[in-house]
Amino acid sequence: MATKEAAEILVVAGREVAVTHPSKPYFSRDAKLSKLDVVRYYLAVAGGALRGIAERPLVLKRFVDGSEGQVFYQKRAPENRPDWLRTVQLSFPSGRTADEIVVDDAAGLAWIVNLGCLELHPHPVRTGDLDHPDELRVDLDPGPGVAWDDVRRVALEVRALLGEMGLTGWPKTSGSRGMHVNVRLAPRWTFTEVRRAALALARAVERRAPGLATSKWWKEERRGVFLDYNQNAKDRTTCSAYSVRPLPDARVSAPLAWDEVVDCEPADFTVATMPARFASIGDPHAGIDAAAGSLEKLLELAARDEASGLGDAPWPPHFRKMEGEAPRVAPSRARGAPKPAKAPRAKMPLVVVANSPSKDAALAGLERWKARHADAAAHLAIDDVLVDSMRGRSSTWTRIRVNLRHVPDGQRPAQETPDPDDDPTRAWREGRKKGA
């Protein structure tokens, strides 16, 4: 019988924190890192990581089996937690509430990492005022085949626009293919107002860089780098600075100075390289809390958009229908004739080819579909394959769709049963539909 591994007891910020199963592999492909290695990484950069999460409610995104295992989201604080770790009660668009963890020091940081939290997901509010965000988040999400250089160009357009609005942006790599620009705010505006300002910013950048940047919510309509304004809706979170991402090289979300944006490379910032960078130059975002600005000019821009006929854009699917919101249905699934005042939108010929909690399994299903339909696959452009990371009630899963717009009509495969077809939310959604 194998001997159970003893916990590693660390003394952090004057408190004892037990790291259970310290040698458990958390990365085993390119990087070779144990759970204890990841805890020590976060302690090495704690001064910067805490700047992004302290005094904020946290959603726990837990990789209990390491970066290559399944992940789930946990809003509610674990019952078995230290008495020195505080919580705060949040309310959600659904009407439900939850007591969420608040991390204020390095001991709390080590404690949540021990739970398997590779990424840190704070809400954009402080515990002293849960109704008024103190941060606007600009999430630059490149579509398939979009070059990293295009992401950097859009980030610089964002910086220029923010400067004209009297705001300071603080850039960081997302740790994957995108980039984030965070903007500190005076906590005076509601979530709805902050999202409205983010939408105005996205549309303005799209006008400045047509074809390069997009504010379109539906993936089938996007070209280039998407500015995800809905990351500013209530109950949405993004990974904060210094978060470790579940990629084989243990890449992290790296805070940058603006003069680094023009030639930075995401792969340069990993668990292996960031502690030395932090020790050498400190935190490039050290001044962020002293740069709180006003949304007034962005909201004036939003008002001008609305006066010109631009209504609200789609919200995330679990929000109630909002006044002035555009139809919350993908163009490819829209029913009925368009209203006379609006130009018709072409329906996209989409087929779903794979649904799976495992991205690798879904991608393997895509390759099987391409092999079965080689003639059709030969016509596909890079951005005709839509790989969607779907967020369920407590976990993520991958849906892969193929846009057949470039495939001649006679060669377009019909919708088949996806392979694999494991949508973990299907039973829950069907139950809700029956209840409704």
Coordinates of all heavy atoms in Angstrom, one line a residue, residues 92 192 205 219 321 341 395 428:
F92 N -26.3 37.7 -7.6 CA -26.1 37.5 -9.1 C -27.3 37.8 -9.9 O -28.4 37.9 -9.3 CB -25.7 36.0 -9.3 CG -24.5 35.6 -8.4 CD1 -24.7 34.7 -7.4 CD2 -23.3 36.2 -8.6 CE1 -23.6 34.3 -6.6 CE2 -22.2 35.8 -7.9 CZ -22.3 34.9 -6.9
T192 N -24.0 48.2 -15.1 CA -24.6 48.5 -16.4 C -24.0 49.6 -17.1 O -23.7 49.6 -18.3 CB -26.1 48.8 -16.2 OG1 -26.7 47.6 -15.6 CG2 -26.8 49.0 -17.6
V205 N -13.1 51.7 -31.2 CA -11.8 51.0 -31.7 C -12.1 50.3 -33.0 O -11.3 50.3 -33.9 CB -11.2 50.1 -30.6 CG1 -10.1 49.3 -31.2 CG2 -10.8 50.9 -29.4
K219 N -19.7 35.0 -32.9 CA -18.4 34.6 -33.5 C -18.5 34.5 -35.0 O -17.5 34.8 -35.7 CB -17.9 33.3 -32.9 CG -17.4 33.3 -31.5 CD -16.8 32.1 -31.1 CE -16.1 32.2 -29.7 NZ -15.4 31.0 -29.3
K321 N -33.4 39.8 -20.7 CA -33.4 40.6 -21.9 C -33.4 42.1 -21.5 O -34.2 42.5 -20.7 CB -34.7 40.3 -22.8 CG -34.8 41.1 -24.0 CD -33.8 40.7 -25.1 CE -34.1 41.4 -26.4 NZ -33.1 40.9 -27.4
A341 N -37.0 48.3 -41.4 CA -36.0 49.4 -41.1 C -34.6 48.9 -41.1 O -33.6 49.7 -41.1 CB -36.3 50.1 -39.8
S395 N -18.6 24.3 -14.7 CA -17.5 23.8 -15.4 C -17.5 24.3 -16.9 O -18.4 25.0 -17.3 CB -17.6 22.3 -15.5 OG -18.7 21.8 -16.2
W428 N -29.4 19.9 -18.0 CA -29.8 21.1 -17.2 C -30.7 22.0 -18.0 O -31.7 22.5 -17.6 CB -28.6 21.8 -16.7 CG -28.9 23.1 -16.0 CD1 -29.5 23.3 -14.8 CD2 -28.6 24.4 -16.5 NE1 -29.5 24.7 -14.5 CE2 -29.0 25.3 -15.6 CE3 -27.9 24.8 -17.7 CZ2 -28.9 26.7 -15.8 CZ3 -27.8 26.2 -17.9 CH2 -28.2 27.1 -16.9

